[in-house]
Amino acid sequence: MTKAAASTDEPQWLTAEEQRIWRSYLHATYLLEDHMDRQLQRDAGMPHVYYGLLVKLAESPQRRLRMTELAMHAKITRSRLSHAVARLEKNGWVRREDCTWDKRGQFAVLTDQGMEVLRNAAPGHVATVRNALFDRLTPEQQKSLGEIMEIIAEGLQPDEAGADLPWLR
């Protein structure tokens, strides 16, 4: 077996610099998500994922989306979305509506109370995002970070049928 053939069977281990970058990425993303979650729990009584659901509904026509589409936007499994929407319903922030043309489909609809909760939570959340992320980076770094994250997201979200994505599970 040639050296080239042998090397294809072996894992391509991360270099020391790649390992440093990977661990820095993990460290920062874990801390950032925890920071966002704690702020929203403290100030608005909801986890970060619930805030994201409310935002997406608020941005949608008539403040409503099909549950499958909402799961896709949130990048979560349908069962996790169903659990989250049940909690949001219990709080009076969201209601479900049956889909008239698809007996299996449902819509999640942001209520007026949910919209008010979102309006009250948004200023503190935006200040936290700005302080934790944007204020620490130069405009050039912000642009680079956005471009890098788009490339990574595009590579992890294939368009082909049968892709293993959370909202399809």
Side-chain angles (χ1 to χ4, degrees), residues 107-144:
F107 288 93
V109 182
L110 182 64
T111 65
D112 290 342
Q113 183 182 355
M115 190 68 189
E116 187 61 26
V117 166
L118 183 59
R119 277 190 196 104
N120 291 335
H125 180 65
V126 169
T128 300
V129 170
R130 182 165 300 289
N131 179 266
L133 184 66
F134 292 102
D135 290 350
R136 298 171 190 273
L137 303 174
T138 66
E140 295 79 23
Q141 290 171 322
Q142 292 173 19
K143 184 176 186 242
S144 293

Side-chain angles (χ1 to χ4, degrees), residues 156-169:
L156 293 173
Q157 189 170 313
D159 290 332
E160 67 266 2
D164 185 22
L165 298 167
W167 56 93
L168 299 176
R169 290 185 222 136

